[in-house]
Amino acid sequence: MTLESAAPDTGAAGLEARPSARIVPGVDANSYELTDTSMYQRYWDEMPCYLSIHDRDFRIIEGNRRFREDFGERIGQYCYKVYKGRDSICDNCPVEATFADGKNHPSEQLLTTGSGKQVPVMVHTTPIRDAAGEVVAVMEMHTEIDEVKKLQDELRHSRERFAQLFEEVPCFITVQGPDRIIQHANRRYREVFGSAVGFECFRVYKHRDEQCLSCPMTDTFETGRINDYEASVLSKDGEELNLLITIAPLRNPEGVVDAVIEMGVDITQIRELQDQLTSIGLLVGSISHGIKGLLTGLDGGIYMVNSGFQRDKPERVKKGWEMVQRNVDRVRSMVLDILYYAKDRELIVEPINLGSMIGDLRDGVKKKAHENSVDLEFHVPDQVGVFDGDPQAIRAMLINLLENSLDACRMDGDKQRHRVDVRVKRSEPWMVIEVADNGIGMDRETREKIFSLFFSSKGLKGTGLGLFISNKIVDKHGGTIEVESEPGKGTTFIVRIPLVARPSTTVDGELAGGAPGIGN
Amino acid sequence: MEIKRVLIVDDDPDIVDYLGLFLEDEGYEVSSANRSSSALSALDDFEPDAVIVDVVLPGKSGLDLLVHIRQHERWSEIPIVVLTGNDAIVQDKGKNYLAGFHLERGADLVLAKPVDRDALVAVLARLTNPHGLGACTE
C-alpha cells in the first residue's frame, strides 16, 4: 500500500485511533508530547508487521492497519483470544513479563489470523510508561519470520559475497590482532603458507620463534596509519617469496585499532628479474677486474716471448709462452664460471675419479685449513670408483663447500680447535659427498636461505654466490644437496650425485657430444 | 750511475716474473715479496729505492701495506707505485681508502692493470732520481 492511498484513510482514522488518547483511563494524553500525531499515526499504520497495544488485563486496546487487515476489528478483546484463539492467558506471556520488569521479551510464536491461517512470528515487547515512569501498557510487535528470514538471507548472502571476495582475491590477506596472531587468512594465503590461523605471523612468514625486531604492524596499531613495505618471507615449503605488503587498521565500534588487515602481493618474479640485472652488474664489475689481471699476465707473457727472441734467450721465450698459455687457460675457466651465473651452461660430462680429484685439491685446501687452525680430514675409500659428472663444475662445487666450512669455523670464536671432515661414499645409485664442520652453525632462517642468490651470512666477506652456484651445479647433475645445521654445533652438507648421468645431460647437450667418455 | 733497486710485492708469480725481467732489462735490480707481511722484512734486507705494490694480496691488502710503510720510521718516504685492476681505486688514486688514515702522502703513483710499461719506467726514473732530469716539481 502506498502512502498516497493511505493518507485520507489515516486522516479519518487518526483522531479515533490515536493511541495516547485511549490507552489507559487516567493517563494524560499530553504527556506523550506528540507534535504531529497524524504523522506518527501514519508510520504506526504503515509498519510492515502486526503492532498491538495491550493493557494490564491483556486486552488489545490498539492495533495497526496490518493487524486489522489480518485479525479484523478486535479492539477490546483479549490478546490470547485474538492471536491464538485461546480462552486463557498463554504460558510465558511476554506481555505479562514486560509489565513485571519493563523489559523487552523477545520470543517466537505461532499466530492464527482471522481467516485461520497460521503465521510464524518474532515477538518483541516494549513498555509504555506514564509521566511517573509506571508501565501502563505494553506494545507488542510481531514480525513475520518469513520477513526476518528474507532479511537474514540477504545479510547472509552479502556476508557470503564479502567472504568470497576475501577468499578469492589473488593476493595474501590476513587479519591479525595486537598479539600478532592470525585470526583470518584467505585461501591463497592458506595455500602458500599453510593453515596459519592461530599462529603468529613471524612463525608463519619467517619461521622464527620471536617477533621481528622492526615490525611495521606496531606503527599501525599505535598510530592507525597504513604501512607499506617489502618483505622477504618463507612459504610453508621453505620457498623464498618477495611480498609487497600493505597493513591497514581495523577499528572496533569505539574507534580503537584492535586488529589490522595485511595484504601481500607476490613480487618474487619482479625481484628475481631485478636480481638478475643486479647480478649482471656485479658480474661486469668482477669480470672486468679479473680480465685486467689476466691481461696483465698475457701482456707479461708476450713481453717475455718478444724480448726473449730479441735477446736470444730461449729460456725466457719458453717461460713467456707458458705464461701466455696459463693465462689463456684462466680466461677459459673464468668464462665458464661466468656462464654459470649468466646462463645455464651445458655440462661436459665425463667419468670422474673422485679420489684423484680430491687428491688434487687436498694440498691447497689443507694449507688454507691449517692457516685457519682447522683440522681438515678426507675420508675417501680406495674403491670409491668413478661417476658421471662435469669435472670443472664438481671441482668448483667441492671448493665452494670446503671454503664455506672453513669460513664457518673461522667465524666461530667459541671453540679452541675446529675440524672439517670430508666423507665420500658410493651408495647406489648415488655418489655421496659429505662436508661436515663444527663451526658456527646456522639457525632455520639462514639454513633455508643459504642457496639463494646474494644471500650471505658473512657480511662483507661473502658475495652470496658460492652456495647458489653449488646448488645449481648439483641440480644440473640431477643430484640433491641437503644441509643439516644447528647454531653453535656446526653444519653438514650432504651432496648426492647420480653415479650415471641422466640421458638429457649427455645426449641433448651440444658440448657434451664432443666430450670423452660419453655413451658408455 | 748507481743501480737502483725496486721491490715488487705481488702474490702472482707470473706478474713478479714479468715485471722483474722487464725492470732488469731496464737496468734495475729487482727483488720480490708475495705478501704484505714478508714485504716489511724485505725492505730491511733489500733496501730498495722504490716499491711496487699490488692491491689484492693474501692477508693484509696492498693498501694496508702502504699505510704501514708510510707510518714506518725508516721507510715512510720511500716512493711507492700501486698496481690495481680496480677502476675506483685508479680514479681516486686510492685517496678515498687512505683518507681515514690522515696520510699526507699516499701512493706516488697508482697504475691500472694491465701495466703501461713506458709510464712505469718513466715514473720510476723520476721517483728514484729526484735530483736528476725529469725530477718531480710538484
Side-chain angles (χ1 to χ4, degrees), chain B residues 7 11 35 39 51 63 75 81 95 102-103 114-115 120 122 128 136-137:
Chain B
L7 175 68
D11 62 324
R35 52 179 56 224
V51 185
L63 292 175
W75 299 108
V81 175
K95 286 285 186 292
H102 308 293
L103 287 182
V115 182
L120 181 62
T128 57
C136 179
T137 53

Side-chain angles (χ1 to χ4, degrees), chain A residues 26 35 37 52 54 58 85-86 125 163 183 187 221 249 256 323 339 354 367 400 403 410 413 455 480 485:
Chain A
T35 50
T37 33
S52 52
H54 306 226
F58 308 110
R86 291 169 65 104
T125 51
Q183 298 166 355
R187 192 171 55 81
F221 275 115
V256 177
M323 203 187 279
L339 288 177
L354 197 56
K367 190 160 158 270
N400 262 328
E403 288 187 338
R410 202 182 48 232
F455 176 80
T480 60
S485 187

Side-chain angles (χ1 to χ4, degrees), chain A residues 198-489:
Chain A
F199 294 94
E200 292 99 336
C201 50
F202 46 85
R203 283 182 208 282
V204 179
Y205 264 164
K206 299 283 190 180
H207 301 182
R208 262 184 207 155
D209 293 332
E210 48 197 69
Q211 195 176 318
C212 310
L213 273 180
S214 73
C215 173
M217 261 179 213
T218 310
D219 181 67
T220 302
F221 275 115
E222 283 172 3
T223 66
R225 271 197 299 254
I226 290 176
N227 272 288
D228 296 308
Y229 68 108
E230 204 183 311
S232 166
V233 301
L234 296 166
S235 77
K236 64 176 195 283
D237 306 321
E239 191 192 348
E240 198 182 334
L241 296 174
N242 290 88
L243 301 189
L244 192 63
I245 292 176
T246 301
I247 295 175
L250 292 177
R251 295 175 194 275
N252 65 11
E254 283 78 52
V256 177
V257 179
D258 64 350
V260 295
I261 185 163
E262 189 195 83
M263 196 179 82
V265 181
D266 189 353
I267 53 164
T268 311
Q269 282 187 328
I270 297 171
R271 281 288 164 270
E272 274 171 5
L273 277 175
Q274 282 180 342
D275 282 351
Q276 278 173 17
L277 285 175
T278 315
S279 91
I280 289 169
L282 204 91
L283 271 174
V284 170
S286 83
I287 291 165
S288 81
H289 187 254
I291 284 177
K292 284 174 191 163
L294 296 175
L295 273 178
T296 310
L298 283 173
D299 200 30
I302 291 163
Y303 172 81
M304 284 163 72
V305 170
N306 281 342
S307 62
F309 275 124
Q310 278 165 11
R311 289 156 201 257
D312 197 18
K313 288 182 173 167
E315 265 311 298
R316 190 189 276 202
V317 173
K318 186 166 175 276
K319 214 170 172 182
W321 189 243
E322 283 167 4
M323 203 187 279
V324 170
Q325 282 178 323
R326 208 163 30 242
N327 281 286
V328 168
D329 283 346
R330 284 190 204 163
V331 172
R332 182 175 298 127
S333 72
M334 185 175 165
V335 168
L336 293 180
D337 272 355
I338 292 163
L339 288 177
Y340 264 120
Y341 309 124
K343 75 183 242 300
D344 288 342
R345 166 185 168 273
E346 293 297 343
L347 295 179
I348 304 174
V349 177
E350 57 184 82
I352 296 177
N353 185 326
L354 197 56
S356 60
M357 177 182 277
I358 287 176
D360 292 344
L361 289 175
R362 194 190 301 255
D363 290 345
V365 201
K366 272 207 159 180
K367 190 160 158 270
K368 203 180 165 195
H370 185 71
E371 286 167 8
N372 288 300
S373 310
V374 176
D375 297 322
L376 175 61
E377 286 297 331
F378 289 94
H379 311 267
V380 186
D382 292 338
Q383 69 284 8
V384 73
V386 297
F387 71 102
D388 288 346
D390 181 323
Q392 214 157 10
I394 295 292
R395 194 186 147 89
M397 185 267 299
L398 280 176
I399 289 176
N400 262 328
L401 291 185
L402 280 166
E403 288 187 338
N404 197 71
S405 298
L406 293 181
D407 284 341
C409 290
R410 202 182 48 232
M411 284 156 71
D412 176 33
D414 293 344
K415 303 177 197 85
Q416 282 295 319
R417 251 346 247 190
H418 287 98
R419 59 177 301 116
V420 173
D421 288 282
V422 181
R423 289 189 180 78
V424 175
K425 64 175 183 232
R426 200 181 175 87
S427 167
E428 293 284 346
W430 307 102
M431 183 64 85
V432 183
I433 306 164
E434 269 185 34
V435 181
D437 67 65
N438 66 343
I440 193 163
M442 292 177 269
D443 56 16
R444 183 176 166 193
E445 189 186 1
T446 310
R447 209 160 61 227
E448 285 173 347
K449 282 186 175 175
I450 46 169
F451 296 120
S452 322
L453 188 57
F454 298 126
F455 176 80
S456 173
S457 57
K458 300 177 196 164
L460 281 175
K461 291 220 164 61
T463 57
L465 289 171
L467 288 176
F468 172 77
I469 297 294
S470 300
N471 189 30
K472 209 163 162 178
I473 288 171
V474 173
D475 191 52
K476 286 219 85 174
H477 280 82
T480 60
I481 185 162
E482 247 178 74
V483 57
E484 291 168 2
S485 187
E486 212 177 308
K489 294 251 170 88

Side-chain angles (χ1 to χ4, degrees), chain B residues 39-135:
Chain B
L40 287 168
S41 55
L43 280 171
D44 289 334
D45 294 343
F46 184 59
E47 301 190 327
D49 298 288
V51 185
I52 296 175
V53 183
D54 185 24
V55 169
V56 182
L57 293 172
K60 281 197 184 312
S61 80
L63 292 175
D64 287 331
L65 176 63
L66 170 55
V67 170
H68 210 90
I69 294 175
R70 285 288 176 255
Q71 289 164 349
H72 195 278
E73 200 180 339
R74 181 174 173 199
W75 299 108
S76 61
E77 291 299 313
I78 193 165
I80 299 175
V81 175
V82 168
L83 296 185
T84 179
N86 186 325
D87 287 327
I89 294 178
V90 175
Q91 275 153 20
D92 76 8
K93 307 273 190 274
K95 286 285 186 292
N96 273 351
Y97 178 85
L98 297 168
F101 296 94
H102 308 293
L103 287 182
E104 284 184 20
R105 185 159 152 235
D108 295 278
L109 181 73
V110 178
L111 267 187
K113 287 179 177 179
V115 182
D116 179 340
R117 285 191 292 269
D118 294 339
L120 181 62
V121 286
V123 84
L124 276 180
R126 194 190 72 196
L127 289 172
T128 57
N129 190 18
H131 306 296
L133 280 172

